């Protein structure tokens, strides 16, 4: 069940400030953070569609590429930008490194993959320390984050590989079409904020844009629920092999679950990348596509540079639209 290990958004408060009220004008705050001038919030614009447009995805089928590779080979795979990788990893204990406010290992997934007794100290559903062995299936992006954040002894059991590339042209064109519609209706709503018809069209355009991700993240293998003669709900576990063969042999099936998994995986990876740019000491809270952080001009300059770097990358590959107003 590799998809459920990684196909989720990122929402977390830094445990270093949880339960506190930060008043930038207070004497205590100024003593603790003399270099800080305020608190800011950054929101990624249409984050999932952006990740769908600019990042790389598996564009061929995954094949079992290696079993029990040594760590030198694992590091080689992690640096290979021409392929996408899935790693089946056995972690023998894991301890979060000092200063990390956003741990990425899911407590529930660690328990689900436990091999024997597993003792976990958690922070709101994320692993701070795990004693015992557990198995996770991860994209290369999430594996990189875990190795960066945790001290752990691990063994890679299997490596699956696919070619890397941008999503197919028909999908990118549709994302652009819906994003342009959303942007145009948003501009029109600013001009005529009382127009209910425009507001409804804006909402529909947002739903279409977000629905592309929703379709790609829908689990192919789903249990069946039915109501019996006594009015009680019963559950019939799905046959994974049967359901997958049915899906991939159907000519109407065109979405790949991997694309949904990698969209959230990329989003988490870039959000944590931004948190690192800001500095772990200054990060307060993240919520899927946004981040709250302590601010000064130096931090602001780092964030601006990061933003311009990614903007330039998007412009280089043509990942942008032009609105009716010429923006």
């Amino acid at each position: 069940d590799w998809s459920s290990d990684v196909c989720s958004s990122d929402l977390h408060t830094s445990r270093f400030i949880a339960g506190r009220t930060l008043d930038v004008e207070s004497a205590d705050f100024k003593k603790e953070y003399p270099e800080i001038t305020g608190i800011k919030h950054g929101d990624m614009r249409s984050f999932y569609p952006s990740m769908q447009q600019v990042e790389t995805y598996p564009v061929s089928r995954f094949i079992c590429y290696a079993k029990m590779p040594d760590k030198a080979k694992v590091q080689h795979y992690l640096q290979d930008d021409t392929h996408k990788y899935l790693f089946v990893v056995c972690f023998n204990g894991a301890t979060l490194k000092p200063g990390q406010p956003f741990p990425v290992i899911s407590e529930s997934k660690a328990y689900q993959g436990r091999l024997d007794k597993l003792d976990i100290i958690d922070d709101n559903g994320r692993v701070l320390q795990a004693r015992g062995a557990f198995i996770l299936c991860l994209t290369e992006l999430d594996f990189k984050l875990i190795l960066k954040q945790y001290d752990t002894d691990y063994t890679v059991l299997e490596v699956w590989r696919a070619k890397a590339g941008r999503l197919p042209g028909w999908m990118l064109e549709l994302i652009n079409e819906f994003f342009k519609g959303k942007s145009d209706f948003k501009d029109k709503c600013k001009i005529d904020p009382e127009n209910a018809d425009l507001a409804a069209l804006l909402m529909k355009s947002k739903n279409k844009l977000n629905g592309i991700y929703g379709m790609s993240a829908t689990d192919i293998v789903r249990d069946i629920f039915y109501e019996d003669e006594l009015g009680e709900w019963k559950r019939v576990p799905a046959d994974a092999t049967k359901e997958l063969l049915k899906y991939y042999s159907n000519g109407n099936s065109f979405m790949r679950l991997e694309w949904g998994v990698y969209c959230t995986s990329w989003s988490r990876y870039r959000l944590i990348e931004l948190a690192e740019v800001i500095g772990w000491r200054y990060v307060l809270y993240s919520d899927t596509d946004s981040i709250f952080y302590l601010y000064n001009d130096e931090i602001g300059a780092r964030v601006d540079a990061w933003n311009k770097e990614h903007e330039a990358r998007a412009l280089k590959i043509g990942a942008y639209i032009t609105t009716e107003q010429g923006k």
Side-chain angles (χ1 to χ4, degrees):
D1 189 17
W2 62 272
S3 63
S4 60
D5 286 348
V6 293
C7 197
S8 60
S9 60
D10 196 79
L11 188 156
H12 211 76
T13 298
S14 168
R15 68 186 184 282
F16 303 123
I17 59 98
R20 296 173 56 190
T21 299
L22 299 184
D23 179 0
V24 296
E25 299 300 326
S26 70
D28 288 343
F29 182 92
K30 290 179 179 179
K31 182 179 179 180
E32 186 177 1
Y33 298 101
E35 72 277 25
I36 294 302
T37 57
I39 296 176
K40 280 212 170 184
H41 167 248
D43 186 81
M44 309 287 193
R45 180 178 296 171
S46 292
F47 198 22
Y48 281 11
S50 295
M51 294 298 96
Q52 290 168 328
Q53 278 282 358
V54 303
E55 303 297 359
T56 56
Y57 289 78
V59 293
S60 70
R61 65 183 297 179
F62 277 98
I63 62 169
C64 189
Y65 188 70
K67 292 191 176 184
M68 303 295 289
D70 60 37
K71 292 187 178 180
K73 286 185 177 179
V74 170
Q75 290 303 317
H76 172 73
Y77 301 149
L78 290 173
Q79 295 169 14
D80 178 11
D81 293 330
T82 62
H83 294 89
K84 311 307 292 181
Y85 290 89
L86 298 176
F87 294 90
V88 182
V89 188
C90 178
F91 295 95
N92 187 15
T95 301
L96 191 68
K97 295 177 182 178
Q100 294 281 343
F102 295 161
V104 295
I105 296 181
S106 163
E107 177 191 19
S108 64
K109 294 304 173 185
Y111 273 127
Q112 184 177 318
R114 68 187 183 276
L115 296 181
D116 198 357
K117 183 179 179 182
L118 184 63
D119 294 321
I120 291 179
I121 300 173
D122 78 291
D123 172 38
N124 197 24
R126 302 294 177 83
V127 172
L128 297 179
Q129 185 180 66
R131 293 181 179 177
F134 59 95
I135 295 175
L136 295 177
C137 190
L138 306 158
T139 70
E140 76 280 1
L141 301 170
D142 291 284
F143 194 19
K144 285 179 183 178
L145 290 178
I146 289 173
L147 294 180
K148 184 182 290 186
Q149 289 191 351
Y150 291 84
D151 290 317
T152 180
D153 181 24
Y154 69 88
T155 301
V156 173
L157 307 178
E158 291 183 4
V159 181
W160 291 70
R161 191 172 89 161
K163 291 181 180 178
R166 293 183 70 195
L167 290 173
W170 58 263
M171 190 167 175
L172 297 180
E173 289 171 9
L174 193 64
I175 292 168
N176 276 345
E177 178 184 335
F178 291 161
F179 181 64
K180 184 179 185 306
K182 169 191 168 183
S183 302
D184 288 339
F185 284 123
K186 192 173 182 179
D187 288 339
K188 292 174 182 177
C189 285
K190 288 180 181 178
I191 297 171
D192 188 4
E194 301 301 320
N195 191 319
D197 291 335
L198 284 177
L201 290 170
L202 173 60
M203 185 58 64
K204 285 183 178 180
S205 66
K206 286 183 176 181
N207 290 343
K208 288 179 179 179
L209 183 63
N210 295 334
I212 298 174
Y213 164 75
M215 290 175 68
S216 66
T218 300
D219 198 343
I220 297 168
V221 181
R222 298 190 295 276
D223 293 343
I224 297 172
F225 293 86
Y226 70 95
E227 189 176 5
D228 67 12
E229 297 83 357
L230 300 177
E232 296 183 357
W233 285 99
K234 302 291 185 180
R235 173 180 176 178
V236 180
D239 183 325
T241 300
K242 180 181 176 180
E243 293 300 318
L244 289 170
L245 287 173
K246 179 181 175 182
Y247 182 84
Y248 286 114
S249 63
N250 188 335
N252 293 322
S253 301
F254 61 92
M255 271 295 191
R256 294 182 59 179
L257 179 61
E258 299 97 306
W259 296 343
V261 171
Y262 266 91
C263 183
T264 47
S265 195
W266 270 119
S267 299
R268 177 169 43 252
Y269 190 83
R270 293 302 182 199
L271 193 68
I272 290 179
E273 179 183 77
L274 175 57
E276 290 174 340
V277 168
I278 291 167
W280 288 126
R281 171 171 157 77
Y282 306 118
V283 175
L284 307 177
Y285 171 80
S286 72
D287 183 0
T288 306
D289 64 350
S290 64
I291 196 162
F292 287 82
Y293 58 98
L294 301 179
Y295 177 85
N296 60 27
D297 289 343
E298 182 181 340
I299 295 170
R302 293 202 298 266
V303 172
D304 288 343
W306 181 86
N307 201 47
K308 289 177 181 176
E309 175 188 335
H310 285 282
E311 184 179 39
R313 189 162 64 97
L315 291 170
K316 183 178 180 180
I317 62 175
Y320 63 90
I321 57 99
T322 303
T323 67
E324 289 180 1
Q325 292 190 358
K327 294 189 292 185

